[in-house]
């Protein structure tokens, strides 16, 4: 039986529509794979999931954001090289993990130096951030977001709370970097730097006596199961930086770059604390799980700052070529 051309054309449209419905949306024009170290329950992982949804909506599905968390693609210290070499389009990296490659990135680890709320809000658009972005560019990374991972920290322990500098003497503790750890050494502690994903087991097996992480992360990583005490304060600023491969980024159409950048800005805004105090809700969650949590008052924070900051600042100024300039820029925020 012969059909008129117009009828066959209509049948073709119906068939194409049916295939689209059956198979889902048409393939995206571009893929953005993001590697990161955070477990699914971590607030930074959730922020990236929302970022992916924002990009999909803003680009009408033209950019497919695929997230690979929990260090399933690369270890935390491998992400920057993977992005720079083009093995993956993007990574969400804890900024200070790049401190060995870019010493200036460690500025946020100077105890009690950048945790003021005004400084946190001003930083992403500041000259200080631009200086660090330029350093990242020199290493083959284009940074599109400065997200606050934590503006607080909690020292956890099994035997006694670590409230005063003298409480740290002889304690084997999870450190963060050589720079930050110099402040722990100044108080008599014995730090071991390790990524957050390894700390739980180290605490559980007694490889270390005490941990250090963000207050929210202590809950998300279930430190309360292996640590009885927690001492929280606004000690450091940890950024998650969303870095992309420059060649991939520059190869995107301008409208898609703008849409992704806008979604990244939303991720920055979502990450910003509502105030400068240690979040009471995060403290409550730990207490509800049985951890005895102390939040340091201003005088106690000053005692910790006086014990840690001089050593950390001295080492920072000695290790980073543009450290002095960066410190002055941060002071102006």
């Amino acid at each position: 039986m012969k059909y008129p051309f117009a009828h066959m054309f209509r049948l073709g449209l119906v068939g194409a529509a049916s295939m689209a419905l059956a198979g889902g949306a048409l393939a995206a024009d571009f893929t953005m794979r993001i590697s990161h170290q955070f477990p699914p329950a971590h607030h930074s992982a959730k922020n990236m999931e929302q970022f992916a949804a924002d990009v999909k909506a803003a680009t009408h599905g033209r950019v497919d954001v695929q997230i690979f968390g929990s260090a399933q693609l690369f270890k935390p210290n491998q992400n920057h090289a993977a992005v720079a070499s083009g093995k993956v389009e993007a990574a969400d990296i804890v900024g200070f993990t790049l401190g060995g490659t870019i010493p200036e990135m460690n500025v946020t680890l100077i105890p009690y130096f950048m945790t003021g709320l005004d400084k946190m809000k001003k930083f992403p658009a500041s000259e200080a951030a631009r200086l660090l972005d330029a350093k990242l560019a020199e290493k083959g990374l284009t940074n599109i977001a400065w997200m606050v991972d934590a503006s607080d920290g909690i020292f956890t322990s099994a035997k006694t709370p670590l409230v005063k500098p003298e409480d740290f003497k002889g304690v084997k503790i999870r450190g963060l970097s050589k720079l930050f750890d110099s402040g722990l050494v100044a108080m008599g502690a014995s730090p071991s730097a390790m990524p957050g994903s390894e700390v739980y087991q180290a605490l559980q097996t007694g490889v270390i006596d005490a941990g250090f992480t963000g207050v929210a992360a202590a809950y998300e990583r279930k430190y309360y199961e292996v640590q009885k005490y927690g001492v929280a304060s606004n000690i450091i600023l940890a950024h998650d930086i969303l870095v992309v491969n420059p060649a991939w980024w520059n190869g995107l159409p301008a409208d898609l770059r703008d849409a992704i950048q806008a979604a990244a800005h939303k991720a920055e805004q979502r990450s910003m604390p509502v105030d400068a105090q240690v979040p009471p809700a995060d403290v409550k969650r730990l207490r509800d799980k049985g951890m005895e949590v102390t939040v340091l008052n201003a005088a106690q924070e000053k005692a910790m700052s006086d014990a840690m900051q001089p050593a950390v600042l001295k080492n920072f100024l000695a290790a980073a070529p543009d450290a002095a300039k960066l410190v002055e820029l941060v002071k102006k925020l």
Side-chain angles (χ1 to χ4, degrees):
M1 182 176 181
K2 295 182 178 180
Y3 293 95
F5 175 78
H7 181 63
M8 293 182 68
F9 182 71
R10 286 195 297 272
L11 287 175
L13 289 177
V14 172
S18 299
M19 290 178 65
L21 289 171
L26 296 176
D29 297 333
F30 299 92
T31 299
M32 182 182 187
R33 293 167 297 171
I34 303 176
S35 172
H36 68 68
Q37 71 186 64
F38 310 108
H42 196 283
H43 55 281
S44 295
K46 293 177 181 178
N47 199 10
M48 281 295 94
E49 292 291 344
Q50 184 58 53
F51 168 79
D54 290 344
V55 171
K56 182 177 181 180
T59 65
H60 305 288
R62 293 179 62 197
V63 178
D64 178 23
V65 178
Q66 300 174 4
I67 298 176
F68 299 88
S70 301
Q72 59 183 295
L73 287 185
F74 304 100
K75 294 180 180 179
N77 63 357
Q78 297 174 329
N79 277 319
H80 67 284
V83 174
S85 64
K87 292 179 181 178
V88 68
E89 290 78 26
D92 185 13
I93 303 175
V94 178
F96 60 72
T97 63
L98 294 174
T101 303
I102 306 172
E104 289 85 355
M105 292 294 292
N106 283 324
V107 67
T108 65
L109 293 184
I110 301 172
Y112 306 98
F113 183 59
M114 288 185 66
T115 52
L117 187 60
D118 286 344
K119 287 187 177 182
M120 283 188 278
K121 288 182 176 179
K122 293 176 181 177
F123 178 79
S126 71
E127 190 175 345
R130 288 195 294 273
L131 186 156
L132 293 176
D133 285 341
K135 296 285 183 181
L136 290 164
E138 291 173 2
K139 300 299 181 181
L141 303 171
T142 296
N143 183 33
I144 63 172
W146 289 94
M147 297 167 289
V148 174
D149 185 320
S151 57
D152 54 55
I154 185 167
F155 291 108
T156 66
S157 54
K159 298 178 181 178
T160 186
L162 305 174
V163 177
K164 305 179 299 298
E166 51 266 35
D167 295 334
F168 287 77
K169 189 173 183 179
V171 175
K172 294 183 295 182
I173 189 169
R174 181 257 179 134
L176 293 180
S177 70
K178 185 177 180 180
L179 178 73
F180 179 80
D181 293 356
S182 65
L184 298 175
V185 171
M187 296 190 295
S190 299
S192 297
M194 63 182 68
S197 58
E198 299 177 9
V199 177
Y200 182 96
Q201 185 176 4
L203 292 170
Q204 187 179 44
T205 57
V207 172
I208 54 177
D209 305 315
F212 179 72
T213 189
V215 179
Y219 177 84
E220 291 150 0
R221 295 188 183 278
K222 300 183 179 181
Y223 283 14
Y224 52 81
E225 294 181 347
V226 290
Q227 300 275 267
K228 183 177 181 181
Y229 302 101
V231 177
S233 66
N234 291 114
I235 183 170
I236 63 167
L237 175 60
H239 280 118
D240 297 330
I241 55 173
L242 183 55
V243 295
V244 297
N245 176 270
W248 174 82
W249 181 248
N250 294 328
L252 292 173
D255 63 325
L256 296 186
R257 277 202 310 272
D258 290 345
I260 295 171
Q261 185 65 73
H265 180 66
K266 287 183 179 179
E268 283 183 346
Q269 295 303 305
R270 278 194 302 272
S271 73
M272 198 62 61
V274 295
D275 54 45
Q277 66 176 323
V278 176
D282 292 339
V283 173
K284 183 178 184 302
R285 289 197 301 173
L286 289 170
R287 287 173 174 164
D288 287 347
K289 289 294 184 177
M291 181 179 279
E292 296 181 21
V293 180
T294 300
V295 178
L296 297 185
N297 58 37
Q300 290 169 321
E301 283 194 349
K302 185 178 185 306
M304 291 289 288
S305 179
D306 290 345
M308 296 184 72
Q309 193 178 104
V312 177
L313 185 57
K314 178 182 177 181
N315 286 321
F316 179 68
L317 292 172
D322 287 322
K325 179 180 179 180
L326 186 56
V327 165
E328 291 306 310
L329 290 174
V330 171
K331 287 180 179 179
K332 293 178 182 178
L333 293 178

